[in-house]
Amino acid sequence: MFLTLCSKSNLKYIIITVTIAITAIILRKYNFTLKTDDDKLKRTNGPLVFSYDELAKYDGIYIDKLYLSVIGSIFDVTEGKKYYAKGSPYHYFVGKDGTRALVTGDFKDESSNKDHVLELSCDDVSTILHWRQTYREKYKFIGLLAGRYYDENGLETSYMSEFKHKIKLCKKEKEEAKNQDKLYPPCNISWSEEEGTRVWCTKTSGGIERGWVGVPRQLFTPGVEKPRCVCVNLEKNNSSMLKEYEGCPIKSTYCVFKD
């Protein structure tokens, strides 16, 4: 009788031990489903910081959420799953920072440069910043991606500093372009097979309102292959970069020529 009780006790102990061991193995294997963001990700004094591998899990398959990164800022686009879920038009962006493709349209770029943007034009940079603002307004901000723009502590990298410097230069360039448009407003231009190219000036040509009409001239810019047609106030401008259209009256407000 005593031996029987001992055997039952041992069997019960063995069963409990095996159960605990199996449970531990299961929990270890699937612990990502039980951990909180604080456990899985590095929390700084600010936002959560994701590694590339951690962000890649949020593809709607491995983890049932859709995260993407733009300029190192991570957003939850799960609500827009009809656009970002697997098989949808913009699924390429999910689980990574594919900032560059927002302007290049290369949805097959899996290179290490898919978030490299410093050599892009100012127009492209402006487009990227517009996209980031759109995500900020439409989707929930989750955290930062450690890599090109932020380090593992969520601090800005030297690359981000260069990017911000480029933004400043682009703003300056845009302001200078506006000033040049005021000085040299673009011409109105039309073309027909019979007539050829017609360029002409009005007080609103180029979308620049002013108190003078001007005459069409070719403006040559250093580093730019072809000149552009601008309206020039002859009383105030006599730049060496300006050239008359051949065969057109000097003071005419319009000019017609064959290309």
Side-chain angles (χ1 to χ4, degrees):
M1 181 70 174
F2 176 75
L3 291 176
T4 302
L5 290 174
C6 287
S7 299
K8 289 182 178 180
S9 178
N10 289 338
L11 180 60
K12 184 177 180 180
Y13 174 77
I14 292 172
I15 293 173
I16 292 174
T17 303
V18 171
T19 301
I20 292 174
I22 293 174
T23 302
I25 292 172
I26 293 174
L27 289 176
R28 189 178 300 114
K29 184 176 181 180
Y30 297 101
N31 64 351
F32 68 87
T33 62
L34 300 177
K35 289 183 177 181
T36 64
D37 284 341
D38 288 337
D39 295 322
K40 289 185 299 179
L41 306 169
K42 182 166 185 176
R43 179 175 288 281
T44 63
N45 290 329
L48 290 172
V49 179
F50 290 64
S51 68
Y52 287 120
D53 289 340
E54 287 163 343
L55 177 59
K57 295 177 182 178
Y58 291 83
D59 60 356
I61 301 171
Y62 191 85
I63 292 180
D64 191 25
K65 286 186 179 181
L66 300 166
Y67 288 3
L68 59 75
S69 175
V70 178
I71 320 178
S73 293
I74 298 172
F75 301 93
D76 182 350
V77 297
T78 306
E79 290 186 2
K81 60 183 178 181
K82 69 176 180 180
Y83 303 109
Y84 296 100
K86 187 175 181 180
S88 299
Y90 301 118
H91 182 68
Y92 163 81
F93 294 100
V94 173
K96 65 169 74 72
D97 191 318
T99 297
R100 189 181 180 86
L102 289 170
V103 291
T104 65
D106 184 2
F107 292 176
K108 294 182 179 180
D109 183 7
E110 296 296 344
S111 71
S112 60
N113 285 327
K114 58 182 173 292
D115 58 348
H116 173 50
V117 299
L118 287 182
E119 91 291 2
L120 296 178
S121 70
C122 286
D123 285 343
D124 287 341
V125 168
S126 178
T127 298
I128 287 171
L129 293 176
H130 176 74
W131 271 108
R132 184 177 65 175
Q133 184 60 32
T134 298
Y135 283 114
R136 282 176 173 173
E137 294 173 356
K138 192 170 183 179
Y139 298 107
K140 181 182 178 181
F141 171 73
I142 297 299
L144 303 173
L145 178 62
R148 195 180 294 276
Y149 297 95
Y150 298 94
D151 65 18
E152 61 181 11
N153 295 311
L155 300 176
E156 294 182 356
T157 61
S158 58
Y159 187 94
M160 176 62 99
S161 297
E162 290 184 64
F163 181 60
K164 286 187 171 182
H165 180 63
K166 183 177 181 70
I167 293 173
K168 289 181 180 179
L169 292 179
C170 287
K171 288 181 178 179
K172 182 179 179 181
E173 180 182 302
K174 187 175 182 180
E175 196 61 36
E176 289 175 350
K178 284 183 179 180
N179 292 334
Q180 188 178 61
D181 280 348
K182 290 179 181 178
L183 183 61
Y184 301 121
C187 305
N188 295 315
I189 301 176
S190 66
W191 180 88
S192 68
E193 188 174 353
E194 294 181 358
E195 187 178 43
T197 299
R198 171 185 286 268
V199 293
W200 72 99
C201 297
T202 66
K203 289 185 177 182
T204 59
S205 55
I208 309 296
E209 295 187 8
R210 54 194 184 273
W212 50 274
V213 176
V215 297
R217 291 289 187 271
Q218 300 176 78
L219 176 64
F220 289 83
T221 304
V224 179
E225 184 177 353
K226 294 183 179 181
R228 63 189 183 94
C229 182
V230 297
C231 296
V232 176
N233 186 341
L234 293 178
E235 296 179 1
K236 296 183 179 181
N237 289 289
N238 191 25
S239 172
S240 60
M241 293 189 295
L242 295 168
K243 183 180 178 181
E244 299 172 10
Y245 282 97
E246 187 176 348
C248 294
I250 295 177
K251 294 186 177 181
S252 175
T253 59
Y254 74 95
C255 180
V256 179
F257 56 91
K258 294 285 186 178
D259 293 326

